[in-house]
Amino acid sequence: MDSNWFKPEATIALEKAARAYALIQGKNYVDTDDVRAVVHAVLCHRITLSFDAMADAVDSHQVVDEILNLVSIG
């Protein structure tokens, strides 16, 4: 994965998707469960895996899971 992580557009997309998900759930606020519910759909397609990662059979879902483990959410 690039050392720049994600572009600002990814963060905006994650925020909008989490808001939409929360609204669908009947809430007028976003919590960590909403972010976790949409994070894979929003970020996985934005990841370009290195050859080493592909050789090790790592997929973008595993990368997002690792990011979630590294970042404190709620």
Side-chain angles (χ1 to χ4, degrees):
M1 191 166 67
D2 189 296
S3 61
N4 293 326
W5 290 72
F6 297 102
K7 294 181 180 180
E9 293 86 356
T11 304
I12 293 167
L14 182 58
E15 184 260 340
K16 286 183 177 183
R19 279 184 185 222
Y21 184 84
L23 284 172
I24 290 169
Q25 300 302 311
K27 301 186 298 186
N28 61 356
Y29 60 91
V30 175
D31 61 24
T32 57
D33 292 334
D34 302 318
V35 175
R36 289 185 183 277
V38 300
V39 69
H40 286 91
V42 173
L43 297 183
C44 283
H45 73 279
R46 297 174 185 268
I47 296 172
T48 303
L49 297 172
S50 68
F51 176 76
D52 290 335
M54 289 187 285
D56 290 339
V58 173
D59 67 14
S60 59
H61 288 273
Q62 291 170 307
V63 174
V64 172
D65 288 339
E66 185 61 27
I67 292 168
L68 288 174
N69 289 335
L70 295 173
V71 176
S72 176
I73 300 177

